[in-house]
């Protein structure tokens, strides 16, 4: 368990195909292959972790609880019934009493008393009523009284009919008349009417099968009648068929009369199993020392003391019978019989012994419901061995027993025990010689041996998965999820190598010792070992946790929380974490019993308390935080209890811990504690918790960043509930301790800070959580966002029109802003405060627009939902009815600038508005407002324009489903698209969609998609019905919308000032016109209802709901102690990786001898030709697989198997129309590969996995995508985006049309920006293999700079090399000498440099006077290649030169045909200054040349 985190941390960094052993031998790990990249924070929908498990608490309708019991004895001592002929001798003992040794009435009373005591030994809490030789009237009266007392609970009815005739075939049992002169029949129909339902019936008489069979017949008839006449039983009453029955024999059988056995052998087995089991063992086994039954009856000890021989036997018997039942009976039946009621469990446990003994005497006990036979179960041999071991010590125990009346052997504290029922005195009355040391009883090794067997099962392959069959987990024990084959190998993605071999794998059949391990928990000596083994078992997955819960571990594991032993803490925490992950409903039990305090105390431990030190303290505290977060989740009492136990404070302190898992779960625990709880939110704000969470948004762990964002989301009103119908809302609550404006500023500051930090986060999981947070602010302050949307719309339209419009149209936003600021008069403080507030809203709104075109589909979809909601509010707001607005005008196309919009009518605008549903227009580039671009800077004057490269209109066009004006016909929600698919309205004919991520669960929600409206409720008016010229100004609308938000805040602050907030009743506040969520609208000073219609009829789609917490919980459902399937020797994945590693090493070894020869031979040997679609401008070889990845001049990527000339895959990258892929790499090549593609104008990097269908890893998937360059500059001739990947260390260098070079850490997904100190774009990047911190960058002005990222940003440039006259085409380090590198420019010159000297190059070559197209150096051998540029004078052929770096001789010179029919001066890509491409193979002595006609030539060197 202590190594669990280490194993998980490693597994989180590897793909499903990768084994950690293989990785460790290579010395690196694959990147962008953690679980978050496979799921993006979405719970796995089809994994074993989410399958429905068996309800371990038992089903409520059939659950039984015994309230009382009637013990009916019809013995009529000394009078034999007429239909029974007794042998001589025969069985005479009744309840271990010989009725012939006492007067009949005394004997009957003794038997009744003993029977009551025997039943009380099974369960003391139930009142038992002996009914001795009853008359018909007495029996009826007693039965009806018992039912009245039991109410709806179970009544136990025991019937001993040894003194009356056998039951009749028609279902009648017998009692007496008052004078005992007649036998009176009692029909089971009557008995059922007296006792009602439910009941437990024990029939101890000959021909008992008649009673069981007829009882079922009558019960079925009664139930059918009730269902036919009344439709069913009322609540609380169960059908008669739910009753349980235990019968001593079949209808044609008679009870055994063996004189060595008691007459009531069935009752003896049920109520005193140890006594009858020992007697039976003596009868059937030969023991030394002439052990007699009388000696056995003196076995020392107490049944309740497990340290004594008798108690130990009872303990072993309980464990064995539990295990027999568990391994034999169906799962639901076991839970009902053995885990619902103590008396019922004891009776059915002891019934197994009755079946074993009585079947040897030709008597067949049976039950209802019918149970499979267990009399030949192998575990009975273990019972015989335990009894044998114990009885062999019996003579010594009796001979050397202490003389002081203490018959208990010396096993610890002496425990006095009363004698066995039916025998005078206590067992072991024999006293040993005076002064002789008492015999030391040797305890049985039964439990130790069973624990060893359990340990062997776990350690010797029991945890491995297997195919469905006899050795697999039975369906009855696995629940419905396993029937469908939902159990995978523990891989979060559910997909892996050769999934056809692993999809059908299921857990192995659990070991038979599992119930025995539960019993061992009761023993102090074995407890720790049992808990450790149990923790290893529950670590196997949710199915294992469900098994141990069904067996009945919960009461025991709950009581152990009260144990003071520190040695149990780690294993208890581990087990409870698994239980809470599988069944969160346990939160109520932990709260009611106070068990949560155990984990609160552990979480609160500090490092300065060595006496309470925990192994792997951070990991176990993280588990405690998870458990407490689950206790508080959606449970108000749990929240308050955790708060009172200072859990909130403990988590607050743990936010700065070094362990990422502890930081993550501390934030998540805070999130659940204050979710929807105003009082705790107030406390959190007083402690500055929200300010403590903001720095975590820059944490090195993406999971911690997302957790901090999740905590801020629940603070701002997002729902943390597992219930999908609970949407959330209400902002940060009341915050009654803050002044109103301070409360307002605090909410805005939290979201603004989070937006600025996280909107460019490389992890889409973090960006998703940011949108949840923003949606909370939009819900509460929608008026401000409507104002921002209106300003953006008007300014965007003004920016797109060069012709001067009418003054009142041009100045509308600036004039409104000026009037709004002037309204604050001379109060400079208020003016500045409100300017900053609106600036913050505008910053958030612009970031939201950028996220609507996010490259990751889920992020874009969620952002579109929020933005469409804002736009729907804008179109329904009074802004739309202003005479000076352009909201009803069609937006100007992206490429249209210089012509004003033609005159149009409002009706025409409805037909041509871009807000109606239509296919989206591709966005040529993203909005590029900088972080400093706030409303104060962008609207300071009329001439100010928004710095952007795409229009607001295009963003609007790309909204999912579009925005349409609501009409009478629109009252239904369109069918939601399936994850990963687009609706027809979203398909773009000019731009193809890239592959979807693995779990693409986001669904767009239209603000107009609302439930059907009742016909009596009037529909909201259409915006077109308003008067065209209202008598209010934009300033009035702005003030009204802002005031509405403040009214909403005041109502919120009043509604929940005491504890937990409830839905506020806002009726009558500010009028009866309401917006979504019941918020109110205000009127201006002239009593004009400015908010009239704003938001009316819109669907309340905000805030968004996060699934991040559920995704995090899966960590505690996944195996932590055992290896992943890929690490299991012999598994398909393991064998594949071993083969792959050996293959790779062999390829490397084979290539080494060729490197020396390749420097001296020609490189003109043809290998193959490929015909790809389009112009192949970027290519990348796989080092070990025969794969070539090609990107053409648009957005298409194709993967080829060059050895077979076969195209493996073909997909679109999704970059904007008119742009191309400017950089292409393959990472993680040792274990497969992930394609990284960087597209030209938008600075976006996309990663793809599963591109090789031969591996059967599932469909092609987008792993991740992010904006790698934050601020791209507009240049006349740009390079787009340039990438360089370094596998060792996992760093991605990103440059291009930017003044910054980004160094992305693939593990943390964080960015380090380095200034280039150049106005020219970066054209080439290369990492230094000898130094992990230095790299080279080439620029368009011919400069080459060396960067050291260890230094401060202003000192990061350590060398500048200037010799090239123009664009540096490529830079490569010398393959042999780490201190040298090569560079080439478009002018055709190649330079060899020493990194230590930047004054002049070591060697200079001018190879292509007409210009150079491509340059590359082989990574393994001292060879480089260049191709000539295509010019108007020479475009039909292209010269290819290959040079040796040893002597700079030309190895090969070839003229390659370009295949162009005519020369075009226009380059195929705006960002790639060449027509062709070239790439060396990273390992083999070969290369590829891409030609403009779509031909890719693969050539290599000739062997010497």
């Amino acid at each position: 368990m202590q190594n669990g985190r280490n194993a998980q941390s490693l597994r989180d960094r590897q793909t499903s195909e990768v084994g950690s052993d293989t990785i460790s031998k290579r010395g690196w790990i694959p990147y962008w292959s953690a679980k978050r990249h496979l799921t993006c924070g979405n719970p796995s929908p089809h994994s074993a972790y989410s399958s429905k498990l068996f309800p371990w608490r038992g089903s409520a309708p059939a659950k039984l609880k015994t309230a009382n019991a009637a013990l009916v004895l019809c013995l009529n001592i000394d009078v034999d019934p007429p239909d029974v002929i007794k042998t001589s001798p025969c069985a005479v003992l009744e309840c271990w009493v010989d009725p012939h040794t006492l007067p009949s009435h005394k004997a009957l009373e003794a038997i009744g008393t003993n029977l009551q005591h025997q039943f009380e030994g099974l369960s003391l809490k139930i009142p038992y009523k002996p009914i001795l030789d009853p008359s018909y009237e007495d029996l009826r009266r007693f039965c009806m009284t018992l039912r009245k007392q039991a109410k709806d609970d179970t009544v136990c009815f025991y019937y001993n009919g040894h003194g009356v005739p056998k039951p009749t075939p028609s279902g009648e049992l017998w009692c007496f008349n008052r004078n005992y002169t007649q036998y009176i029949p009692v029909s089971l129909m009557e008995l059922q009417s007296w006792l009602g339902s439910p009941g437990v019936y024990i029939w101890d008489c000959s021909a008992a099968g008649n009673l069981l069979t007829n009882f079922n017949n009558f019960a079925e008839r009664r139930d059918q009648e009730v269902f036919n006449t009344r439709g069913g039983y009322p609540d609380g009453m169960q059908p008669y068929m739910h009753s349980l029955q235990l019968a001593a024999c079949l209808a044609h059988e008679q009870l055994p009369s063996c004189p060595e056995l008691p007459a009531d052998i069935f009752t003896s087995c049920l109520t005193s199993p140890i006594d009858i089991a020992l007697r039976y063992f003596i009868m059937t086994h030969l023991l030394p020392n002439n052990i007699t039954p009388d000696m056995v009856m003196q076995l020392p000890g107490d049944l309740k003391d497990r340290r004594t021989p008798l108690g130990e036997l009872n303990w072993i018997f309980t464990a064995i019978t539990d295990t027999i039942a568990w391994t034999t009976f169906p799962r639901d039946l076991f839970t009902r019989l053995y885990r619902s009621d103590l008396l019922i469990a004891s009776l059915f446990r002891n019934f197994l012994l009755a079946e074993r003994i009585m079947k040897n005497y030709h008597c067949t006990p049976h039950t209802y419901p019918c149970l499979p036979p267990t009399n030949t179960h192998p575990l009975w041999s273990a019972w015989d061995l335990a009894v044998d071991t114990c009885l062999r010590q019996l003579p010594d125990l009796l001979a050397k027993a202490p003389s002081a009346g203490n018959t208990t052997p010396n096993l610890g504290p002496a425990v006095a025990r009363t004698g066995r029922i039916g025998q005078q005195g206590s067992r072991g009355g024999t006293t040993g010689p005076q002064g002789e040391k008492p015999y030391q009883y040797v305890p049985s090794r039964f439990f130790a041996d069973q624990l060893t067997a359990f340990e062997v099962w776990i350690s010797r392959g029991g945890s491995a998965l297997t195919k469905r069959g006899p050795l697999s987990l039975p369906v009855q024990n696995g629940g419905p999820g396993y029937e469908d084959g939902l159990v995978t190998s523990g891989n979060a993605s559910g997909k892996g190598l050769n999934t056809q071999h692993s999809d059908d794998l299921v857990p192995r059949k659990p070991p038979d010792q599992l119930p025995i391990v539960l019993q061992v928990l009761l023993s102090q000596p074995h407890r720790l070992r049992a808990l450790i083994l149990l923790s290893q078992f529950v670590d196997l997955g949710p199915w294992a946790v469900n098994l141990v819960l069904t067996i009945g571990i919960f009461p025991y594991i709950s009581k152990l929380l009260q144990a003071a032993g520190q040695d149990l803490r780690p294993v208890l925490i581990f087990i409870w974490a698994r239980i809470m992950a599988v069944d969160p409903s346990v939160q109520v039990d932990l709260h009611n019993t106070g068990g949560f305090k155990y984990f609160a105390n552990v979480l609160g431990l500090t490092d300065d308390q060595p006496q309470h030190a925990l192994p792997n303290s951070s990991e176990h505290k993280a588990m405690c935080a998870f458990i407490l977060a689950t206790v508080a989740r959606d449970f108000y009492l749990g929240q308050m209890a955790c708060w009172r136990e200072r859990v909130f404070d403990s988590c607050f302190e743990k936010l700065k811990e070094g362990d990422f898992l502890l930081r993550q779960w501390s934030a998540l625990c805070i999130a659940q504690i204050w979710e929807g709880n105003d009082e705790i939110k107030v406390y959190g704000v007083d402690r500055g918790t929200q300010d403590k969470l903001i720095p975590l948004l820059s944490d090195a762990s993406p999971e911690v960043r997302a957790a901090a964002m999740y905590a801020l989301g629940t603070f701002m009103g997002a729902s943390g509930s597992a219930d999908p119908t609970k949407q959330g809302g209400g902002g940060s609550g009341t915050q009654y301790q803050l002044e109103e404006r301070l409360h307002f500023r605090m909410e805005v500051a939290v979201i603004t800070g989070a937006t600025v930090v996280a909107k460019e986060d490389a992890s889409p999981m973090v960006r998703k959580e940011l949108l949840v947070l923003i949606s909370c602010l939009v819900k509460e302050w929608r008026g401000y966002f409507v104002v921002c949307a209106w300003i953006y719309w008007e300014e965007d339209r003004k920016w797109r029109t060069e012709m001067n419009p009418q003054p009142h149209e041009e100045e509308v936003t600036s004039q409104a802003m000026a009037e709004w600021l002037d309204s604050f008069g001379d109060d400079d403080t208020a003016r500045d405060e409100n300017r900053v507030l609106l600036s913050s809203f505008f910053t958030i709104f612009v970031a939201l627009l950028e996220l609507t075109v996010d490259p990751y589909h889920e992020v874009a979809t969620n952002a579109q939902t929020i933005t469409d909601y804002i736009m729907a509010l804008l179109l329904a707001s009074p802004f739309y009815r202003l005479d000076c607005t352009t909201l009803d005008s069609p937006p100007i196309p992206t490429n249209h600038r210089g012509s004003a919009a033609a005159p149009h009518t409002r009706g025409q605008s409805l037909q041509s508005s871009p807000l109606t549903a239509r296919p989206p227009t591709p966005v040529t580039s993203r909005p590029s407002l900088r972080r400093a671009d706030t409303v104060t800077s962008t609207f300071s004057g009329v001439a100010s324009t928004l710095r952007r490269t795409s229009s607001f209109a295009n963003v609007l066009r790309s909204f999912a489903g579009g925005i349409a004006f609501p009409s009478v016909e629109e009252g239904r929600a369109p069918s939601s698209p399936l994850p990963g698919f687009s609706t027809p309205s979203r398909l773009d004919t000019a731009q193809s969609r890239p592959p979807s991520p693995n779990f693409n669960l986001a669904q767009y929600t239209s603000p107009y998609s609302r439930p059907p409206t009742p016909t009596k409720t009037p529909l909201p008016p259409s915006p077109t019905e308003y008067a065209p010229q209202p008598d209010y100004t934009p300033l009035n609308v702005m003030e009204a919308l802002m005031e509405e938000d403040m009214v909403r805040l005041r109502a919120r602050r009043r509604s929940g000032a005491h504890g937990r907030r409830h839905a506020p009743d806002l009726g009558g506040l500010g009028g009866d016109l309401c917006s979504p969520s019941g918020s109110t609208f205000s009127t201006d000073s002239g009593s004009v209802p400015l908010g009239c219609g704003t938001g009316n009829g819109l669907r309340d789609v905000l805030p968004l709901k996060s699934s991040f917490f559920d995704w995090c919980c899966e960590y505690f459902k996944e195996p932590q102690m055992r290896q992943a399937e890929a690490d299991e020797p012999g598994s398909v994945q393991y064998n594949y990786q071993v083969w792959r590693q050996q293959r790779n090493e062999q390829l490397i070894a084979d290539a080494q001898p060729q490197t020396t020869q390749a420097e001296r031979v020609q490189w003109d040997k043809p290998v193959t030709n490929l015909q790809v679609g389009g112009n192949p401008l970027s290519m990348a070889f796989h080092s070990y697989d025969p794969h070539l990845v090609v990107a053409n001049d648009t957005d298409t990527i194709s993967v080829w198997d060059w050895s077979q000339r076969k195209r493996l895959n073909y997909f679109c990258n999704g970059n904007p129309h008119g742009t191309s892929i400017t950089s292409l790499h393959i990472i993680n090549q040792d274990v497969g590969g992930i394609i990284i593609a960087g597209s030209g104008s938008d600075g976006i990097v996309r990663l793809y996995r599963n591109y090789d269908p031969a591996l059967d890893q599932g469909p092609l998937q987008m792993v991740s995508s992010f904006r790698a360059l934050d601020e791209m500059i507009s240049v006349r001739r740009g390079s787009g985006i340039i990438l360089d990947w370094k596998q060792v260390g996992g760093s991605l260098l990103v440059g291009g049309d930017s003044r910054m070079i980004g160094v992305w850490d693939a593990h943390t997904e964080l960015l380090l920006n380095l200034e280039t100190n150049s106005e020219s774009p970066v054209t080439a990047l290369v990492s230094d293999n000898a130094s992990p911190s230095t790299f080279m960058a080439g620029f368009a002005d011919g400069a080459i700079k060396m960067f050291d990222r260890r230094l401060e940003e202003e000192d990061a440039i350590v060398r500048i090399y200037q010799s090239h006259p123009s664009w540096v085409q490529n830079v490569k380090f010398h393959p042999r000498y780490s201190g040298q590198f090569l560079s080439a420019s478009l002018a055709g010159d190649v330079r060899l440099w020493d990194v230590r000297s930047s004054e002049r190059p070591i060697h200079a070559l001018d190879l292509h006077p007409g210009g150079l197209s491509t340059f590359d150096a082989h990574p393994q051998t001292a060879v480089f290649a260049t191709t000539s540029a295509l010019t108007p004078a020479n475009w039909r052929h292209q010269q290819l030169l290959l040079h040796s770096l040893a002597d700079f001789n030309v190895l090969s010179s070839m003229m390659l045909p370009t295949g162009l029919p005519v020369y075009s001066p226009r380059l195929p890509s705006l960002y790639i200054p060449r027509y062709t491409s070239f790439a060396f193979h990273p390992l083999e002595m070969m290369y590829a040349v891409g030609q403009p006609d779509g031909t890719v030539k693969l050539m290599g060197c000739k062997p010497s």
Side-chain angles (χ1 to χ4, degrees), residues 591-629:
H591 172 264
N592 293 340
T593 61
F596 72 96
K597 297 179 182 179
Y598 184 91
F599 308 103
N601 294 334
V602 174
L603 183 62
L605 295 178
T606 57
D607 295 335
D608 57 357
Q609 297 174 294
Q611 67 276 18
H612 300 297
L614 270 174
N616 287 344
S617 174
S618 296
E619 179 182 4
H620 288 97
K621 288 179 180 178
M623 293 182 192
C624 291
F626 158 70
I627 294 170
L628 294 167

Side-chain angles (χ1 to χ4, degrees), residues 791 812-822 838 935 939 1038:
I791 293 174
V812 59
T813 55
S814 300
Q815 181 180 351
M817 284 291 300
E819 292 177 355
W820 179 65
L821 294 175
D822 290 342
L838 188 57
V935 71
F939 299 112
M1038 291 175 60

Side-chain angles (χ1 to χ4, degrees), residues 520-850:
V520 177
L521 293 179
L522 303 174
S523 170
Q524 182 70 28
H526 300 293
R527 182 172 296 159
L528 180 58
R529 184 187 179 196
L531 284 174
I532 293 174
L533 293 175
L534 201 58
S535 67
Q536 294 174 357
F537 182 75
V538 298
D539 185 59
L540 300 180
W543 65 270
V545 177
N546 189 250
L547 280 181
V548 298
L549 288 175
T550 308
I551 288 174
I553 189 180
F554 189 74
Y556 300 90
I557 208 75
S558 298
K559 291 180 181 178
L560 287 178
L561 294 179
Q562 303 171 6
Q566 296 188 19
D567 57 337
L568 300 181
R569 288 193 309 186
V571 66
L572 278 178
I573 293 171
F574 185 91
I575 293 174
W576 269 102
R578 267 63 195 167
I579 292 175
M580 295 296 289
V582 173
D583 189 359
S585 67
V586 176
Q587 63 178 175
V588 179
D589 302 87
L590 275 182
H591 172 264
N592 293 340
T593 61
F596 72 96
K597 297 179 182 179
Y598 184 91
F599 308 103
N601 294 334
V602 174
L603 183 62
L605 295 178
T606 57
D607 295 335
D608 57 357
Q609 297 174 294
Q611 67 276 18
H612 300 297
L614 270 174
N616 287 344
S617 174
S618 296
E619 179 182 4
H620 288 97
K621 288 179 180 178
M623 293 182 192
C624 291
F626 158 70
I627 294 170
L628 294 167
T630 311
V631 170
R633 189 182 193 189
D634 203 24
F635 183 39
Y636 175 70
L637 296 178
Q639 289 177 329
M640 300 306 296
C642 290
W643 181 37
R644 286 189 292 268
E645 289 296 318
R646 304 189 64 81
V647 174
F648 191 96
D649 298 317
S650 298
C651 292
F652 181 86
E653 298 298 329
K654 299 299 184 293
L655 291 176
K656 57 185 179 182
E657 288 288 333
D659 186 89
F660 81 93
L661 189 66
L662 180 54
R663 296 197 306 274
Q664 172 188 345
W665 277 105
S666 296
L668 292 174
C669 187
I670 289 175
Q672 294 298 345
I673 290 176
W674 70 11
E675 187 265 328
N677 194 312
D678 289 350
E679 186 174 354
I680 301 180
K681 285 183 180 180
V682 169
Y683 179 76
V685 171
D686 289 342
R687 290 213 59 177
T689 310
Q690 75 282 4
D691 297 329
K692 190 76 172 285
L693 290 169
I694 292 294
L696 289 182
L697 300 180
S698 301
D699 193 90
S701 169
E703 288 84 357
V704 175
R705 301 200 296 272
M709 196 73 74
Y710 181 87
L712 291 174
T714 58
F715 172 71
M716 284 299 301
S719 173
S721 171
D723 186 355
T725 62
K726 293 186 178 181
Q727 194 170 4
S732 60
T734 61
Q735 299 298 329
Y736 48 78
Q737 84 284 11
L738 299 179
E739 188 269 335
E740 182 180 283
R741 295 294 295 181
L742 187 60
H743 185 184
F744 177 24
R745 294 202 305 270
M746 183 266 295
E747 291 193 350
V748 177
V750 167
I751 282 79
T752 305
T755 302
V756 170
V757 173
K759 69 184 181 71
E760 300 291 351
D761 198 293
S763 173
M765 184 173 66
V766 178
R767 302 199 300 273
K768 277 174 53 181
E769 296 306 311
L770 172 63
L771 286 171
V772 175
L773 180 61
I774 293 177
S775 70
C776 297
L777 191 72
V778 172
K779 180 180 179 68
E780 300 304 321
W781 302 97
R782 59 184 77 104
Y784 275 88
F785 281 98
V786 170
V787 172
C788 292
W790 174 71
I791 293 174
Y792 200 114
W793 172 277
E794 299 294 346
E795 284 295 312
D796 179 87
R797 190 173 187 83
K798 182 177 66 175
W799 175 76
R800 295 195 169 279
T801 306
E802 288 183 349
M803 295 180 62
N804 292 330
Q806 296 299 321
H808 70 279
E809 293 181 355
E810 179 184 1
E811 303 290 341
V812 59
T813 55
S814 300
Q815 181 180 351
M817 284 291 300
E819 292 177 355
W820 179 65
L821 294 175
D822 290 342
S823 65
F824 297 102
D826 298 332
D827 191 347
D828 293 338
T829 303
R831 183 186 298 106
D832 293 340
E833 175 189 327
N834 283 275
R835 181 189 291 119
V836 170
L837 284 172
L838 188 57
S839 169
S840 300
F841 277 108
F842 195 81
T843 300
I844 298 170
F845 181 72
V846 171
L848 185 61
L849 292 182
E850 293 185 12

Side-chain angles (χ1 to χ4, degrees), residues 147-475:
R147 170 46 61 191
K148 184 177 180 181
Q149 294 172 349
K151 299 181 180 178
D152 293 330
D153 289 333
T154 304
V155 173
C156 177
F157 182 83
Y158 167 85
Y159 174 74
N160 183 329
H162 296 174
V164 293
K166 293 184 290 187
T168 64
S170 60
E172 294 172 320
L173 53 85
W174 300 89
C175 62
F176 308 97
N177 62 359
R178 289 194 177 274
N179 298 325
Y180 296 97
T181 58
Q182 290 182 340
Y183 298 112
I184 306 299
V186 180
S187 172
L188 288 179
M189 286 285 287
E190 296 179 293
L191 192 64
Q192 288 177 350
S193 62
W194 299 341
L195 291 174
S197 177
V200 178
Y201 297 87
I202 303 171
W203 313 116
D204 187 356
C205 57
S206 298
N210 285 331
L211 297 178
L212 186 145
T213 303
N214 285 282
F215 185 97
N216 287 338
N217 294 335
F218 297 150
E220 186 176 4
R221 192 182 310 167
R222 280 178 178 272
D223 293 340
Q224 189 64 41
E225 181 181 352
V226 170
F227 280 104
N228 291 339
T229 57
R230 290 179 285 178
Y233 287 95
D235 293 339
M237 188 173 179
Q238 299 186 28
Y240 284 89
M241 288 300 292
H242 283 181
S243 297
L244 307 177
Q245 300 180 73
L246 299 98
C249 58
L250 297 176
H252 63 279
E253 294 176 345
Q254 189 165 338
L255 293 178
S257 59
C258 178
E260 292 84 3
L261 298 176
D264 60 345
I265 182 173
F266 187 62
T267 301
S268 298
C269 291
L270 295 182
T271 58
S272 54
I274 302 302
D275 292 325
I276 189 64
L278 294 179
R279 182 182 290 265
Y280 175 75
F281 184 84
I282 292 296
M283 293 170 57
T284 56
H285 293 79
L286 294 177
L287 292 176
N289 302 324
N290 296 321
I291 299 175
T292 63
D294 291 336
M295 295 173 63
V296 170
M297 292 301 105
Q298 300 179 34
L299 182 67
D302 184 358
L303 287 173
K304 303 300 183 183
D305 188 351
R306 291 182 294 273
R307 297 170 299 177
T308 64
L310 186 61
E312 184 184 61
L313 281 179
N314 186 54
W315 185 25
I316 294 174
F317 177 80
T318 302
I320 286 179
T321 51
D322 245 14
T323 304
I324 292 175
W326 168 256
T327 56
T328 307
F329 301 160
R331 179 87 169 274
D332 54 346
L333 189 58
F334 175 87
T335 303
R336 184 185 179 207
L337 299 182
Y338 292 88
R339 295 298 180 260
S340 296
D341 181 79
L342 180 59
L343 176 63
I344 296 174
S346 299
L347 290 173
F348 277 88
R349 189 183 299 120
N350 299 339
F351 173 82
L352 306 183
L353 176 65
E355 182 184 27
R356 185 194 188 202
I357 295 177
M358 296 179 69
K359 279 191 174 181
N360 290 322
Y361 295 93
H362 310 289
C363 197
T364 309
H366 58 296
T367 65
Y368 180 83
C370 185
L371 299 178
T374 60
N375 58 304
T376 58
H377 197 281
L379 272 178
W380 285 120
S381 299
W383 166 249
D384 291 339
L385 177 62
V387 174
D388 184 273
T389 303
C390 178
L391 293 185
R392 284 177 184 270
Q393 304 179 62
L394 183 57
D396 293 332
L397 285 172
L398 297 180
K400 299 181 181 181
S403 59
N406 182 9
T407 62
T408 303
N410 187 12
L411 299 176
V415 179
R417 188 187 62 81
T418 59
R420 181 180 51 77
I421 298 175
Q423 185 174 9
Q424 298 297 324
S426 61
R427 294 191 180 186
T430 305
T431 59
Q434 292 292 332
E436 185 175 349
K437 185 178 180 180
Y439 176 77
Q440 187 73 26
Y441 175 72
V442 179
S444 172
R445 288 192 48 82
F446 172 79
F447 288 105
D449 293 341
Q450 296 299 319
L451 288 180
T452 301
F454 190 79
E455 185 176 8
V456 169
W457 184 90
I458 291 178
S459 61
R460 294 295 183 267
S463 60
L465 303 178
T466 184
K467 291 186 177 181
R468 194 177 299 279
L471 297 180
S472 66
L473 184 70
V475 174

